[in-house]
Amino acid sequence: MDKAEKLRLSETDICDLFITPAIKGAAWDQFLQVRREVTLAPGPVVVRGQLASRNKKLRKFADYVLYWKPGIPLAVVEAKDNNHGVSDGMQQALGYAGILDVPSAFSSNGDAFASHDKTALAGALIEHEFGLEAFPHPDELWRRYKAFRNIRDAEEPLVTQAYHVDDNGKEPRYYQVEAINRVIETIARGERRALLVMATGTGKTYTTFQIIWRLWKSGQAKRILFLADRNILVDQTQVNDFKPFGPVMTKIADRKIDPAYEIQLGLYQALTGPNESDKTFKSVSPDFFDLIIIDECHRGSAAEDAAWREILDYFGNAIQLGMTATPKETKYESNITYFGDPVYTYSLKQGIEDGFLAPYKVIRIDIDRDIEGWTPPPGMVDDLGNEIEEREYNQRDMDRVLVLNKRTTLVAERVMQFLRATDPMSKTIIFCEDIDHAERMRKAIVNAAGDLARNNSKYVMRITGDSAEGKAELDRFIDPEEPYPVIATTSQLLSTGVDAKTTKLIVLDRTINSMTMFKQIIGRGTRIDEDNNKLFFTIMDFKKATELFSDPDFDGDPVVIYEPGAYDPIVPPDPGDRGVEEEGDDYEGLGVTKIRVSGVDARIVAERITFLGPDGKLVTESYKEYARKQIVSEYRSLNDFVRKWNESARKQAIIDELEDRGIILANLQEQVGRDIGDFDLLCHIAYDRPPLTRRERAEKVKKRNYFAKYGEQARAVLEALLDKYADEGVSRIEQAKVLQLRPFSDIGTPMEIINGVFGGKAAYERAIEELEAQIYEQAGGE
């Protein structure tokens, strides 16, 4: 093939004709070791107002990923067409290699390969180029990988143990693969404790399943215990991610560990208790379990005297893996001190940037009695006739010490105002101070919801630890197929672990000082469910809890505060009296008699709406402003945009490119006007140009008598296409299938029109381009 012909080839052609044969020629198995067009991350969701779309420009997409075995990536190859240099794709390849944490990256334009080797020794070339025939053998890249990851030969059997292959095609995401492999490598080195930190909604349980599967199948762990602290977590795990274990798996019940089963799922509460007779775990020998997984190991359990610590101490020789979304590090408690530094961390921020987790907008609402405080007049009594202590009551007192019924009503009415303006059937969780507050909020929502609650008594339910009726509805609340309950009022029960994918609104009417608790609550909304149109969620904050977003500890690396001295125990000391524990069961303000007052008014004094920006900070910005910035970043001036628009043979290509940046024209038309054409809409949004409607542009073309140069039938077709533009836009007339519709079908078939009326496809496309040129004539200067 000569150079001129090669330059005309597309990137896909270069892959098919040159790069793939070169890799195959180096003895790579095309079915097991080579994957093309691998989407590592789908791209973040952009949210403005109630509108959301993916920014596909920021998706992570590798042309080739090379594997030793499925689930063990070794290298990335980035392809370019022949108009590029050999190494033009190297920076992109290195970016993807960094994501996958592999040592080898390659770039090619079909002439040769450029190579980057992170394991190159001092004095050796890190980057060099070589011919297509010299691509490295799998053994060479496996050698590099082992050196890069510090894998010894003796560890290879466990490290290469196969993943579970799902019948429905489900595969681990790139970060799950990395988490799984890091844990397996840690255990292969002989380490007995490991900590895995993954943000809520990123698939910790599925990741755990693959870790257990590989250790179990390899024989490294024959008996496994999975520990959680809530029934729903165990039940969800058993019927969902752990289902492939089938008959070898059981849930520990009636305080009995059945040795006939290899995989045991249990609650801390079912295995231990305050009395020696409650300590079921001691019914088997200390070497009974080979592997113990502690789910949500941050929650009320990082202290030395926690339930799981007692169990782990007993099974001290077992491999022990802690799983958490929020490492707990305080002066008194530390799961990092126990497990060691995380072997892998995947944060909420990274999940949102990749597009695996839902971004959020925040509505911060200030109520006068919270902000300004309230002091009862001398001698004022509460609803029970008791005199109220004369002092200032502020936000921290609300619903913990002081109950202002009108404040509760105000919150409920504001929640329902939002839902009615968006979608009254959006799944909503309202976090309250305690059970009493959750019940009062339920009643207030019933009254504010009106017909919605009247038509279905389960529109709102209190789901708290003490409510059998509420807990019975929990499965239905988290089921995307079940419309009711819509709203759940709670204190603690829904703060963690519950997989409520379709939650679109989280209401915070609760004082939150714990970063761990805050992250867990925010995690209730971070799951994306595109099938049910859940791409983002909203946080409505009445108690300034979202100020924790600006705390350096939010989504930051945890720090162990406890530093034992030479003669101190390795575990932190007894925490002693730590005041109110925000992570236990529903806080009831023990020893506090609440003051209930009905006659004091409350009003909203401020409201601000913010969005999660691309830098992870909360910003205030409209969808129109976001679109303007994106368009201007691509086309710096109006003239640049007009020139590109006029030069483009297909205007739809520009529209598609902007959509990849998260700009959906239909969303903008909702705000500017449905009858505004794509070109005018974009010029108006980005460059403040007064827009013309499609109909106005069409009338201008007709006045120019432009069609006179065409024959009768061609003129009829073009006039009809102009009318289609006025009705539906430029994208419609660029589609050949428009000729199947009336009035074109009255003239002839599409082929008869293209060939008979215009003289062939090229002439017909030229006529369309000329028609578009007339539509946008002098567009930049009108």
Side-chain angles (χ1 to χ4, degrees), residues 22 70 84 100 152 164 187 211 234 237 265 356 367 386 412 433 490 499 522 537 599 607 642 681 742 762 766 771:
H84 290 80
L100 296 176
R152 296 187 292 265
H164 176 266
I187 293 169
I211 291 168
V234 173
T237 299
L265 284 67
F356 292 118
I367 297 175
N386 300 313
E433 295 288 359
T490 190
D499 188 6
I522 298 308
F537 68 105
E607 183 167 327
V642 171
L681 180 69
R742 295 191 67 186
R766 249 192 331 271
L771 175 60

Side-chain angles (χ1 to χ4, degrees), residues 521-540:
I521 287 176
I522 298 308
R524 297 312 98 216
T526 53
R527 289 173 172 84
I528 286 178
D529 188 348
E530 298 196 49
D531 293 339
N532 289 287
N533 197 32
K534 158 70 184 304
L535 286 170
F536 72 99
F537 68 105
T538 301
I539 303 165
M540 186 177 287

Side-chain angles (χ1 to χ4, degrees), residues 200-212:
T200 300
T202 56
K204 288 195 302 293
T205 311
Y206 175 67
T207 302
T208 303
F209 161 72
Q210 288 285 7
I211 291 168
I212 295 173

Side-chain angles (χ1 to χ4, degrees), residues 331-618:
K331 181 177 180 180
Y332 305 106
E333 303 174 271
S334 170
N335 51 28
I336 288 182
T337 300
Y338 182 84
F339 288 106
D341 290 331
V343 296
Y344 185 73
T345 298
Y346 189 72
S347 68
L348 171 65
K349 182 180 179 182
Q350 187 63 54
I352 292 173
E353 287 176 357
D354 282 344
F356 292 118
L357 294 181
Y360 44 84
K361 70 174 187 176
V362 177
I363 303 174
R364 287 174 170 156
I365 300 172
D366 293 337
I367 297 175
D368 58 350
R369 302 302 180 187
D370 296 6
I371 303 305
E372 300 163 8
W374 176 73
T375 302
M380 184 176 183
V381 296
D382 64 13
D383 291 354
L384 297 177
N386 300 313
E387 186 171 336
I388 305 172
E389 179 187 353
E390 188 179 341
R391 69 170 178 88
E392 182 177 280
Y393 296 87
N394 55 33
Q395 192 168 60
R396 283 194 62 85
D397 297 312
M398 297 301 166
D399 294 297
R400 286 192 164 204
V401 176
L402 177 68
V403 174
L404 298 180
N405 289 325
K406 289 190 176 182
R407 183 192 178 284
T408 307
T409 300
L410 180 67
V411 171
E413 288 174 348
R414 184 63 188 87
V415 170
M416 289 311 305
Q417 179 187 350
F418 176 84
L419 288 175
R420 284 197 174 95
T422 54
D423 177 8
M425 299 303 290
S426 291
K427 290 294 176 87
T428 299
I429 305 174
I430 304 178
F431 287 97
C432 303
E433 295 288 359
D434 52 33
I435 291 173
D436 166 70
H437 185 200
E439 174 57 21
R440 286 186 292 104
M441 186 60 69
R442 183 198 65 79
K443 289 189 286 188
I445 291 287
V446 167
N447 292 326
D451 286 344
L452 291 164
R454 191 178 295 113
N455 295 338
N456 192 305
S457 63
K458 293 181 179 177
Y459 180 76
V460 56
M461 296 285 293
R462 172 169 60 89
I463 302 180
T464 51
D466 72 320
S467 172
E469 296 82 8
K471 285 197 290 186
E473 295 297 323
L474 184 54
D475 285 344
R476 277 185 279 275
F477 178 75
I478 66 179
D479 186 347
E481 304 299 320
E482 291 282 351
Y484 297 97
V486 176
I487 302 174
T489 68
T490 190
S491 173
Q492 293 278 357
L493 190 62
L494 292 175
S495 65
T496 183
V498 178
D499 188 6
K501 289 183 180 179
T502 54
T503 301
K504 291 185 178 180
L505 176 62
I506 290 175
V507 179
L508 303 176
D509 197 24
R510 171 191 176 94
T511 302
I512 302 172
N513 296 317
S514 160
M515 182 61 75
T516 299
M517 171 64 75
F518 181 63
K519 284 187 176 183
Q520 288 293 323
I521 287 176
I522 298 308
R524 297 312 98 216
T526 53
R527 289 173 172 84
I528 286 178
D529 188 348
E530 298 196 49
D531 293 339
N532 289 287
N533 197 32
K534 158 70 184 304
L535 286 170
F536 72 99
F537 68 105
T538 301
I539 303 165
M540 186 177 287
D541 178 16
F542 291 91
K543 290 278 182 87
K544 294 188 177 293
T546 54
E547 289 183 352
L548 286 168
F549 280 130
S550 60
D551 190 306
D553 286 340
F554 184 76
D555 220 9
D557 295 327
V559 177
V560 178
I561 297 173
Y562 175 65
E563 297 180 359
Y567 302 101
D568 292 334
I570 190 64
V571 294
D574 186 339
D577 180 15
R578 282 166 278 148
V580 174
E581 172 56 71
E582 290 204 52
E583 298 195 37
D585 292 329
D586 295 298
Y587 162 70
E588 276 300 325
L590 297 177
V592 175
T593 301
K594 292 187 179 182
I595 304 165
R596 301 172 190 271
V597 184
S598 296
V600 177
D601 288 329
R603 62 186 177 87
I604 292 170
V605 293
E607 183 167 327
R608 299 165 304 288
I609 300 176
T610 53
F611 303 89
L612 188 70
D615 59 355
K617 304 296 184 183
L618 289 171

